[in-house]
Amino acid sequence: MESGPGKRRRFEVNGIVQGVGFRPFVYRLAVGLGLKGFIRNTASGVLIEVQGPTETIDDFSMRLRTEGPPLSRIETISDTVLPPGEEQDFSIGASGPGAEIETLIPPDIALCGDCRRELFDPTDRRYRYPFINCTNCGPRYTIVGRLPYDRPFTSMHGFAMCPACEREYHDPLDRRFHAQPNACPVCGPAALLCDATGEKVNVPDAVAAAAAMLHEGKILALKGVGGFHLAVDAANDAAVRRLRERKGREAKPFAVMMGDLETVSKLCELSALESEALTSPEAPIVLLRRKDTGGLSPEVAPGNDRLGVMLPYSPLHALLSADAPEVLVMTSANFSEEPIVSDNGEVFSRLSGIADAFLVHDRPIYRKCDDSVAVELSGKLRQIRRSRGFVPVPVFLRDGGPVVLGTGGELKNTFALLKGTHALLSQHIGDMKNYEALKHFEHTTEHLQHLFQVRPELIVHDLHPGHMTTRWAMEQEVPLLAVQHHHAHLASCLAENREDGPAIGLMLDGTGYGTDGTIWGGEVLIGDENGAERFACFEPMPIAGGETAIMQPWRLALGYLRRCRPDLPSLPFMDGRPVGPVLELLQRGTHVYETSSCGRLFDAVAALSGLRGEISFEGQAAIELMHAAGGSAGTEAFPHGLRKENGRWLMLVSSIFGAAAESVLLGMTVREISRMFHRSLVNLFLDITAKASEASGLKTVALSGGVFQNALLFETLAGELERVGYRVLSHSLVPSNDGGLSLGQAVIGRSFLAGRYIGVC
Ligand code: ZN
Ligand code: ZN
Ligand code: FE
């Protein structure tokens, strides 16, 4: 046994190591090993000094790297040998200078295993307590009002801890050491059941009573972590229909909550990665392939081969799920793309007439935060909506630079604040089309700037002059930059992959304002964050009737057909439609605009093939068209073509669409048409990529835009590109849809400030 003071070493740890239980972890580790020394927070992480026998310190060093708390993320560790010190024990020191300012606010974290055990343990003092939490779990981001991250500045400020909770909070060896939302039935928030009018219902156990109502087919408004959900028994067809009717949501799929993985695997295919995602601390909704209906109402996710599934992530959800029907519809309580409802007062007025009962509680939600949504594609988990559980954890950039705010797109809005090498993305704000969304956007930008103590040097907004975010940006007294939509998509993909580029970018989506004032959406850009060349685009096609046409894909199909088949053969999709007036519009050219959109092409083909002439939400026809292919793009394709015009390649929509129309005339099935259409696009993109590669010498291809949420197109195309030798960059940390746009905008903003920005030509 070594005697004397032993060796002393200093470890400086950077990364996400504050507010995630890292200091208690190190304390327990060091005390357990009999080491002396201290740990304290610093501006960018923690500083640890330990003293003891060499082997013990080696053991400490190894376990420091491998056994950290679930939410910690170590980026770097420096390790220095020091002369021995004088301590008699190991202590948690006061924070060093600057520590307050850099402290990262953790995201909201799903119920941990330890708390779950206590929750269902009749001997535990928190048995069936819906607000149980600890250092490893519980609400964080959604309860923070302002800095510093301390209980008085959270929505827990109204709850004084009882002596038992207080003891846990101050004991470094306790799992609840410095857990800000620590609470128990004696001192903490309580759940409350109210009837349809908002009157309190007196029941001994609000959660059990709410579960009983769900068994009866009632619609329950349920206050969660980042806002309210509407819940209903997913197996009760009448109840699900009633929810659709009352919410005015015709067909958009509902997400569901199931109690455990075992239940999930009965209804859905489940890979190791998907199981891991469902049970992760972030607990997103994961879009899973359905095995069969499993007795669920067909109204849950009509026309969709995937089901959005999540596990109970708060103790309230876990309790409810244990007593309620096996599968619950859980849909955000909001109105047609407005932000999620989060306030008790608001919920009674806004959801009256929808909910039969309200399961609420008295812990305020300071930040609205929707559930996150992810999907596994090509063996990787991809964000579709990066929100609760992820925000405000940064996306790590390769390079630092000035503070820039990217305001995001109009649909599925998020914004991004760049600070050093951290890209801080906001939660999902929603579609920027109403006053509520703008308010949510304003509050959240203000809040994140406060949390991270930054003010942007530059605000980047979309090139579209009419967007709400553009108008908002104009009102700020900060220099501005307008950035083209698809350029931002490209830069976003490069940034999350920590790549400089240049790359060949296949940017495929529904709508983005082009530098020529037309609507783009099927673009091949070659470039990087500094600028890009519009190397190719889809052949422009007419849309008659603006916004209406987008919700009525049969109008798109008619316009496309007229363009490629002027003889206008009569096809079944025209039956019963007011074809004449639309043709007249197209003829006169009034209310007609041209677009190179890829999303609209999907819609038009879906309508042409007789699948769907009208939609009730964006992407509906495209999703159903993909679904119709039955998981394969087959081998046959329609002929495609490329034509060079004014120095730019046009990807000829007319040859594909014309051939598809011919197939409909020949009586080909929707399944065959869908397969051939997908295969044609893959062939077309391979061809244009080859041309772009030849012209530029590049072998790296970046894929971005909402169309890449199409699993069939994405997996087939990415696979083929790799097979012929390209390096493929795609999204996983941020969405490929417009939810990831703000990251690209902000990165382009830094290029502008550095004097490198050229734009799109
Ligand atoms: Zn816990
Ligand atoms: Zn207590
Ligand atoms: Fe887009």
Side-chain angles (χ1 to χ4, degrees):
M1 210 52 204
E2 197 173 335
S3 59
K7 298 278 185 279
R8 186 178 184 91
R9 265 152 71 186
R10 167 187 288 173
F11 299 91
E12 279 176 276
V13 187
N14 291 332
I16 302 175
V17 290
Q18 299 184 6
V20 290
F22 203 80
R23 284 181 301 162
F25 151 69
V26 170
Y27 180 89
R28 282 193 296 274
L29 183 60
V31 170
L33 290 169
L35 293 170
K36 303 182 187 350
F38 68 86
I39 176 169
R40 63 178 166 81
N41 282 344
T42 65
S44 55
V46 294
L47 176 78
I48 306 162
E49 291 189 14
V50 287
Q51 188 165 323
T54 307
E55 314 82 75
T56 314
I57 298 185
D58 286 344
D59 190 20
F60 173 85
S61 165
M62 195 262 293
R63 294 172 65 184
L64 178 68
R65 288 159 217 261
T66 55
E67 293 178 10
L71 298 161
S72 62
R73 173 175 160 163
I74 295 175
E75 283 196 273
T76 57
I77 298 187
S78 74
D79 183 345
T80 333
V81 178
L82 297 178
E86 296 294 318
E87 297 99 335
Q88 294 309 305
D89 56 6
F90 191 89
S91 62
I92 295 183
S95 296
E100 246 74 52
I101 289 174
E102 282 288 331
T103 300
L104 282 177
I105 305 296
D108 302 294
I109 305 149
L111 180 68
C112 75
D114 291 329
C115 287
R116 175 183 293 274
R117 264 187 298 283
E118 291 170 356
L119 182 65
F120 290 105
D121 174 2
T123 65
D124 194 273
R125 74 187 187 92
R126 292 188 179 86
Y127 175 60
R128 287 187 73 81
Y129 181 56
F131 306 95
I132 187 171
N133 67 84
C134 74
T135 322
N136 299 323
C137 76
R140 298 287 188 277
Y141 175 66
T142 52
I143 61 166
V144 174
R146 60 184 179 87
L147 288 180
Y149 174 50
D150 261 329
R151 189 169 172 114
F153 305 115
T154 71
S155 71
M156 288 297 292
H157 75 91
F159 302 95
M161 275 185 278
C162 70
C165 286
E166 189 90 29
R167 257 196 310 281
E168 295 165 338
Y169 183 87
H170 290 291
D171 177 2
L173 287 177
D174 195 278
R175 208 172 82 242
R176 297 192 165 88
F177 175 66
H178 283 189
Q180 302 304 345
N182 189 27
C184 77
V186 176
C187 66
L192 187 71
L193 187 68
C194 299
D195 65 15
T197 67
E199 262 334 287
K200 184 186 170 191
V201 183
N202 277 314
V203 284
D205 185 330
V207 178
M213 295 187 76
L214 287 167
H215 278 289
E216 290 163 17
K218 298 277 175 26
I219 298 171
L220 181 72
L222 168 69
K223 186 172 180 179
V225 172
F228 276 83
H229 283 104
L230 288 164
V232 76
D233 178 0
N236 186 329
D237 198 42
V240 180
R241 280 173 200 279
R242 197 153 53 237
L243 176 59
R244 284 212 179 274
E245 258 161 51
R246 290 195 195 165
K247 215 190 161 197
R249 175 151 154 163
E250 220 174 279
K252 199 170 176 179
F254 286 138
V256 297
M257 180 177 276
M258 304 185 201
D260 49 39
L261 284 180
E262 205 188 321
T263 314
V264 179
S265 64
K266 277 193 286 184
L267 276 86
C268 301
E269 308 281 350
L270 200 52
S271 73
L273 189 65
E274 288 163 341
S275 304
E276 193 188 306
L278 284 168
T279 52
S280 68
E282 295 88 3
I285 294 169
V286 183
L287 302 181
L288 302 174
R289 284 183 203 282
R290 304 169 77 152
K291 273 186 187 162
D292 58 61
T293 61
L296 299 193
S297 160
E299 286 297 308
V300 172
N304 204 313
D305 58 351
R306 299 219 178 214
L307 189 61
V309 179
M310 58 182 160
L311 294 181
Y313 57 84
S314 82
L316 183 62
H317 292 139
L319 287 171
L320 185 72
S321 182
D323 295 346
E326 203 173 39
V327 185
L328 289 179
V329 163
M330 286 282 276
T331 181
S332 294
N334 58 359
F335 296 88
S336 54
E337 308 308 322
E338 279 188 7
I340 189 167
V341 176
S342 64
D343 181 76
N344 283 4
E346 193 187 2
V347 78
F348 292 130
S349 63
R350 308 211 62 185
L351 296 185
S352 82
I354 297 183
D356 298 312
F358 296 82
L359 183 58
V360 300
H361 58 73
D362 53 357
R363 185 182 69 204
I365 295 170
Y366 281 172
R367 305 293 143 201
K368 290 175 193 288
C369 201
D370 284 88
D371 295 317
S372 295
V373 183
V375 67
E376 181 185 348
L377 298 179
S378 297
K380 233 175 165 179
L381 195 74
R382 320 270 172 177
Q383 297 288 346
I384 288 183
R385 186 162 78 194
R386 186 185 185 273
S387 205
R388 175 191 47 76
F390 296 93
V391 178
V393 177
V395 170
F396 293 93
L397 301 174
R398 219 191 45 193
D399 304 310
V403 176
V404 176
L405 172 67
T407 53
E410 190 184 37
L411 301 179
K412 304 180 172 67
N413 179 272
T414 67
F415 61 84
L417 260 175
L418 303 193
K419 180 190 186 189
T421 56
H422 291 175
L424 304 153
L425 270 78
S426 74
Q427 66 268 45
H428 170 76
I429 303 288
D431 292 353
M432 296 294 289
K433 287 186 167 181
N434 51 64
Y435 177 65
E436 294 295 320
L438 180 63
K439 254 188 359 198
H440 186 21
F441 177 90
E442 286 180 329
H443 288 163
T444 313
T445 46
E446 209 34 67
H447 182 60
L448 275 183
Q449 288 179 51
H450 168 74
L451 283 189
F452 294 98
Q453 300 283 299
V454 288
R455 285 285 166 197
E457 279 178 42
L458 179 77
I459 294 180
V460 184
H461 61 86
D462 193 87
L463 196 56
H464 198 301
H467 281 183
M468 215 175 235
T469 43
T470 298
R471 278 177 281 150
W472 176 85
M474 305 270 185
E475 288 164 14
Q476 313 306 306
E477 284 168 0
V478 176
L480 297 182
L481 176 70
V483 161
Q484 201 280 323
H485 187 98
H486 302 95
H487 185 207
H489 270 303
L490 173 61
S492 173
C493 186
L494 291 172
E496 83 146 274
N497 286 285
R498 301 163 76 109
E499 289 273 340
D500 265 343
I504 300 164
L506 300 182
M507 307 292 115
L508 308 177
D509 64 4
T511 303
Y513 195 75
T515 53
D516 56 3
T518 69
I519 302 300
W520 297 3
E523 312 302 314
V524 181
L525 302 181
I526 301 178
D528 54 22
E529 62 183 29
N530 302 320
E533 177 202 351
R534 193 184 188 204
F535 181 77
C537 66
F538 271 128
E539 170 191 11
M541 283 285 147
I543 294 184
E547 289 285 307
T548 352
I550 288 170
M551 300 313 277
Q552 301 185 341
W554 72 267
R555 287 168 175 261
L556 303 178
L558 189 62
Y560 283 37
L561 186 65
R562 184 177 173 276
R563 185 64 63 81
C564 30
R565 288 286 300 266
D567 62 322
L568 209 65
S570 175
L571 289 170
F573 83 89
M574 303 172 185
D575 292 352
R577 303 288 184 189
V579 169
V582 176
L583 286 175
E584 215 178 292
L585 280 183
L586 287 162
Q587 181 74 43
R588 285 207 312 262
T590 43
H591 301 294
V592 175
Y593 66 91
E594 301 275 322
T595 182
S596 59
S597 167
C598 184
R600 294 298 95 80
L601 175 59
F602 269 88
D603 291 345
V605 171
L608 174 78
S609 62
L611 191 63
R612 172 166 291 282
E614 275 161 343
I615 56 173
S616 66
F617 64 93
E618 203 220 0
Q620 184 180 10
I623 291 168
E624 290 180 10
L625 185 62
M626 180 195 77
H627 179 51
S632 163
T635 51
E636 302 287 303
F638 301 122
H640 65 270
L642 294 169
R643 183 174 74 224
K644 204 155 192 182
E645 217 176 85
N646 305 323
R648 176 175 301 130
W649 286 101
L650 285 183
M651 301 182 278
L652 300 179
V653 171
S654 47
S655 56
I656 295 177
F657 197 85
E662 200 55 44
S663 307
V664 175
L665 281 168
L666 292 172
M668 199 182 273
T669 62
V670 177
R671 184 190 181 91
E672 281 172 281
I673 291 172
S674 172
R675 288 185 167 189
M676 286 180 75
F677 172 63
H678 279 87
R679 179 56 68 187
S680 316
L681 288 184
V682 170
N683 293 348
L684 175 65
F685 295 139
L686 283 170
D687 266 10
I688 195 67
T689 303
K691 292 225 180 301
S693 179
E694 205 180 297
S696 64
L698 298 171
K699 293 295 273 179
T700 302
V701 183
L703 307 180
S704 189
V707 167
F708 286 113
Q709 283 168 216
N710 178 321
L712 181 57
L713 181 71
F714 175 79
E715 292 186 331
T716 314
L717 180 61
E720 297 278 313
L721 284 168
E722 278 171 354
R723 203 174 50 80
V724 294
Y726 294 103
R727 237 175 102 234
V728 175
L729 305 177
S730 58
H731 287 283
S732 67
L733 304 177
V734 306
S736 69
N737 63 42
D738 289 358
L741 210 62
S742 57
L743 173 63
Q745 292 175 334
V747 165
I748 292 170
R750 276 189 173 172
S751 146
F752 173 79
L753 289 175
R756 298 191 307 259
Y757 178 71
I758 308 161
V760 178
C761 58

